[in-house]
Amino acid sequence: MTKEVGLSHVTVEFGDYTAVDDAHLTIAGGEFFSFLGPSGCGKTTILRCISGFQEPSYGKLLIGGRDMRGIGPNKRPTALIFQNLALFPLMSVAENIAFPLEVRGVGKKERRRRADELLELIALPGQGDKRVDALSGGQKQRVAIARALAVEPDILLLDEPLSALDLKLRQHMRTELRAIQKQVGLTFIYITHDQGEALTMSDRVAVMSRGKIQQVADPATVYNAPATGFVASFVGENNMFEGRIAAPAGPDGTAEVDLGLGARVRVQAAPGLGAGEAVQVFVRPEALEPGGTAPNRLTARLEKVEFEGAMRHLLLRAADGTALRVSQVNTGGDAGPGPDAPVELGFAPAQAIALPPSELARAG
Amino acid sequence: MKPRGSLSAFAERNGIPVTLYLLTCVGIWVFLLVLLPQVTMLDYSFRANLPPSKVGGPEDVYTLEHYRYFLLGSSANPDGWNALDIGVLVKTLVAALFVTLFDLAICYPVAFLLAKGVRGGGARLLILALIVPFWVNEILRAFAFRILFGATGVLNETGMMLGLWEAPIDFIGSDVALYAGLGYAYILLMIFPLYNAIESLDSNQLEAARDMGASWAQVHRRVVIPYAKPGIASGCTMVFMLSAGALAAPQILGGPSNLWFTQLVYQWFNSGGNWPRGSAYAIILLVVCVGFVMFMMRVFRVSIGAIGR
């Protein structure tokens, strides 16, 4: 069974510090939903509110339409997977998995049966009598998931559970987590600072910064149409240019912008941005193309080429000192332009966006 | 010097003087302060009680007389067993065990609160509040308890004033004062091992257990206590050993009819003037206590190495 989770104007204050500022959103039953943001953005606090370790200072938290105020973490239909997993080292694997059943007074035989069933689900059959220490990182991960699933919660909460794993295993576990979610059909709420994780696994992502939710959307929208300067610069790489609206957006949704570095370009913009307003223009490194025929043109001097296997990154500097980054798929042979060469870059209006200036945006 | 073995490696790193100093200190500690007195005591316990003039004479032979006396009493004893002294030993052990459990019950919540409940300044203040009273010396503290629990003490006066009881209650005669005094004397030795053990427990484990539906009682039974077991064993061992071996508190706070086994030892050494018998009694107390602790550790499956952690 799945239940939707509602945050109704949830604010959490610690003394003078506002950890979560007016979070208002609904997570649908069965959804894989991620909170993405840098450390200290309030995402873990939201998770602790949902699990019951933290009461909101203001606002309401609803699970399946029911107000959760005053209901302890042991009475909520949620299960939390901790960053460090928090497996019990003195219990065997099966005892760990069956712990939630044990505290509910389920008999020993039934507990063991259910533990074996869950071990089957996480592809660790027959490993129930092992010590937790004897498992590898990925196996521990899966035991933690099995333990959380033992009492069939409605909502599974995951607090950066993959951060301790190495890169290969992390990528593998992403796929696996997603598969487990599809299989059990629960609502997964996932906390991470790793955009790769958030984008690959989630149905929807909430991007957070300094306690505020910046955008709630599906991964493609978050990447292609960031709602704020913070989202544009935090999710993926981005080139940022300061500029001013020269002509407000027309019916095609694009506006003309004078860039600080001395070029006039046509980019996506909200209709509300009037002529003369300061904006920040974001262009993805992979949207910038040396040469080409795109209508927006920039000139910059090549400083360095970073080679990264599948990709190649050109680091350039415009005449006014703005640093630029261009990412190209490595096609082999072509060595590309030499150092110090002037390079003309083009990008399409559809691949650039002008947003109101944000101090949280940092140039990619 | 050939760089061989950990000692020569240590000497090479820290210099010969430091090494010699350390070796001397450890040697004095182990040999002079621990081993020698115990061995002497052991030797004494097997000797006959002779006036100084006869020491080294033909009558100065090894004997089991004192151990026999502890078990069977004087040769004139009709019923065969030295029920009095054995009774005192058993009573001492039971009482020490009671004091230990009492301390464990009091200290566990305090240690848990200290380790997981309070943060920063609060914890420091609580530790200070625990330690400072122990600046008052033991004898003084024992007398303070006597005054507190006496017939005209604060407790009785208050109780009678409030009309809770009519006549003064004999707290001292019924050993309430003794248990309270002993229990209080060793709380730090219980709190700190517990605190050490619990403090290193990952707090996420508590939250994980809570999150999975465990009540607080279940969290403690299944997560905290198993984890803190070495600390519990360490604290209990210390409190038990020291309670069983306490002298000042039983002397001052014990009821007139109540003897602690250490008081028997003291009597043989002093008023009894029988050092060998006192030694034998001390050795008996030591062996029985160590045996009992080992047995309890076996029962609760704690290894001796775990206690040192």
Side-chain angles (χ1 to χ4, degrees):
Chain A
M1 205 176 62
T2 62
K3 280 182 182 157
E4 65 169 36
V5 177
L7 279 74
S8 170
H9 300 289
V10 168
T11 297
V12 181
E13 288 173 350
F14 299 112
D16 291 339
Y17 177 69
T18 305
V20 177
D21 190 356
D22 197 30
H24 188 77
L25 55 87
T26 302
I27 299 162
E31 191 173 17
F32 197 124
F33 191 95
S34 294
F35 286 94
L36 172 66
S39 55
C41 73
K43 56 189 191 298
T44 299
T45 309
I46 286 193
L47 196 76
R48 293 178 66 82
C49 282
I50 300 173
S51 57
F53 290 109
Q54 177 72 48
E55 288 283 0
S57 311
Y58 310 103
K60 266 197 258 182
L61 186 104
L62 306 147
I63 295 178
R66 194 164 147 235
D67 190 351
M68 285 287 127
R69 182 164 293 273
I71 297 176
N74 54 337
K75 305 278 185 220
R76 296 195 184 188
T78 57
L80 175 57
I81 296 178
F82 288 79
Q83 188 162 8
N84 67 355
L85 307 180
L87 295 174
F88 304 123
L90 299 175
M91 300 183 199
S92 72
V93 169
E95 280 178 310
N96 260 283
I97 294 175
F99 180 79
L101 302 169
E102 185 191 327
V103 299
R104 283 169 177 78
V106 175
K108 205 166 188 171
K109 264 212 183 101
E110 172 62 15
R111 286 199 318 248
R112 185 68 210 214
R113 193 192 61 75
R114 182 85 180 113
D116 286 339
E117 217 174 80
L118 285 157
L119 281 165
E120 205 78 45
L121 172 78
I122 57 167
L124 285 175
Q127 313 253 35
D129 292 322
K130 275 196 178 170
R131 285 181 60 88
V132 173
D133 297 340
L135 301 180
S136 71
Q139 289 172 330
K140 281 184 193 160
Q141 186 74 59
R142 287 184 290 192
V143 170
I145 294 169
R147 186 177 68 170
L149 293 175
V151 280
E152 295 165 357
D154 297 320
I155 295 138
L156 197 64
L157 306 167
L158 303 101
D159 185 5
E160 307 211 17
L162 304 186
S163 56
L165 305 180
D166 61 50
L167 183 67
K168 273 265 154 60
L169 196 54
R170 206 153 63 218
Q171 284 168 344
H172 172 73
M173 285 306 295
R174 284 180 195 171
T175 324
E176 200 154 332
L177 266 181
R178 185 69 194 179
I180 290 175
Q181 193 253 345
K182 286 271 174 269
Q183 196 175 342
V184 296
L186 296 180
T187 312
F188 272 43
I189 300 178
Y190 196 91
I191 296 292
T192 183
H193 65 266
D194 182 326
Q195 40 174 305
E197 282 174 16
L199 297 182
T200 44
M201 290 189 288
S202 316
D203 294 315
R204 281 193 306 156
V205 180
V207 185
M208 290 188 73
S209 169
R210 299 198 185 167
K212 280 203 165 64
I213 293 180
Q214 303 276 326
Q215 183 172 15
V216 182
D218 63 276
T221 307
V222 165
Y223 191 82
N224 295 329
T228 67
F230 174 79
V231 177
S233 61
F234 184 74
V235 180
E237 298 277 341
N238 236 329
N239 291 297
M240 189 190 82
F241 308 104
E242 305 286 348
R244 244 165 231 294
I245 299 279
D252 66 342
T254 62
E256 271 191 35
V257 178
D258 278 326
L259 296 185
L261 50 78
R264 175 166 291 197
V265 293
R266 182 162 276 282
V267 301
Q268 311 260 11
L273 292 166
E277 269 191 64
V279 290
Q280 287 169 337
V281 172
F282 294 91
V283 187
R284 296 277 178 204
E286 65 272 21
L288 280 172
E289 188 191 355
T293 55
N296 295 319
R297 313 300 294 176
L298 298 171
T299 328
R301 192 167 286 279
L302 183 65
E303 288 192 330
K304 203 176 154 199
V305 179
E306 276 179 359
F307 180 72
E308 198 206 318
M311 298 297 285
R312 188 172 64 176
H313 309 285
L314 312 182
L315 305 181
L316 307 101
R317 199 165 287 280
D320 70 334
T322 310
L324 280 97
R325 187 179 175 88
V326 174
S327 299
Q328 298 176 306
V329 175
N330 175 24
T331 50
D334 179 19
D340 247 9
V343 181
E344 191 162 82
L345 302 166
F347 60 93
Q351 287 183 295
I353 188 162
L355 295 165
S358 153
E359 51 168 323
L360 298 177
R362 47 182 171 76
Chain B
M1 191 192 286
K2 273 188 275 179
R4 181 165 49 83
S6 57
L7 186 62
S8 44
F10 182 86
E12 212 144 280
R13 248 194 340 272
N14 301 286
I16 305 274
V18 173
T19 311
L20 280 179
Y21 175 73
L22 272 177
L23 279 178
T24 315
C25 287
V26 172
I28 288 177
W29 170 259
V30 171
F31 184 72
L32 209 62
L33 301 179
V34 180
L35 224 50
L36 201 59
Q38 296 302 326
V39 170
T40 312
M41 191 91 115
L42 190 66
D43 176 62
Y44 251 77
S45 73
F46 290 109
R47 285 181 185 277
N49 187 30
L50 300 169
S53 58
K54 290 192 178 167
V55 171
E59 287 169 66
D60 192 359
V61 290
Y62 282 113
T63 167
L64 287 170
E65 159 62 17
H66 308 301
Y67 293 95
R68 192 201 64 80
Y69 181 88
F70 168 74
L71 288 174
L72 305 174
S74 68
S75 6
N77 188 358
D79 62 3
W81 290 100
N82 187 351
L84 190 69
D85 289 2
I86 295 174
V88 169
L89 178 62
V90 170
K91 222 208 86 189
T92 301
L93 292 181
V94 171
L97 187 66
F98 176 75
V99 168
T100 307
L101 294 177
F102 176 68
D103 270 4
L104 181 62
I106 290 180
C107 296
Y108 180 83
V110 176
F112 183 78
L113 205 70
L114 210 54
K116 296 292 169 201
V118 287
R119 292 271 157 269
R124 270 197 298 278
L125 214 66
L126 192 51
I127 290 179
L128 210 64
L130 285 169
I131 291 177
V132 167
F134 286 87
W135 291 354
V136 176
N137 98 38
E138 191 192 350
I139 309 276
L140 225 57
R141 215 167 337 108
F143 276 112
F145 266 86
R146 200 180 167 92
I147 294 168
L148 187 70
F149 285 107
T152 56
V154 180
L155 217 57
N156 266 321
E157 297 272 302
T158 314
M160 288 192 296
M161 201 177 70
L162 293 174
L164 294 176
W165 56 85
E166 293 291 308
I169 296 177
D170 187 7
F171 288 118
I172 291 171
S174 56
D175 283 339
V176 173
L178 175 58
Y179 292 142
L182 277 175
Y184 184 60
Y186 304 119
I187 55 167
L188 288 190
L189 293 167
M190 185 63 93
I191 284 180
F192 286 115
L194 287 180
Y195 168 76
N196 265 340
I198 298 173
E199 211 268 330
S200 65
L201 173 66
D202 173 18
S203 300
N204 280 348
Q205 301 223 336
L206 304 179
E207 293 200 336
R210 282 292 282 167
D211 186 63
M212 284 180 287
S215 63
W216 273 116
Q218 285 168 324
V219 171
H220 283 286
R221 195 172 55 78
R222 289 295 278 137
V223 180
V224 187
I225 292 175
Y227 184 84
K229 207 159 79 169
I232 294 173
S234 171
C236 286
T237 309
M238 273 199 277
V239 171
F240 176 78
M241 288 293 200
L242 288 173
S243 301
L247 180 63
Q251 200 88 301
I252 297 165
L253 293 171
S257 62
N258 184 9
L259 271 181
W260 210 250
F261 196 73
T262 47
Q263 285 172 295
L264 290 184
V265 176
Y266 183 76
Q267 275 173 13
W268 285 122
F269 270 99
N270 271 287
S271 40
N274 192 337
W275 283 34
R277 188 157 293 171
S279 299
Y281 272 48
I283 295 285
I284 287 166
L285 181 63
L286 179 71
V287 169
V288 170
C289 281
V290 169
F292 181 75
V293 166
M294 300 299 252
F295 171 71
M296 289 316 267
M297 276 167 47
R298 175 67 60 88
V299 169
F300 288 103
R301 301 212 188 111
V302 184
S303 74
I304 191 99
I307 283 186
R309 279 200 312 212

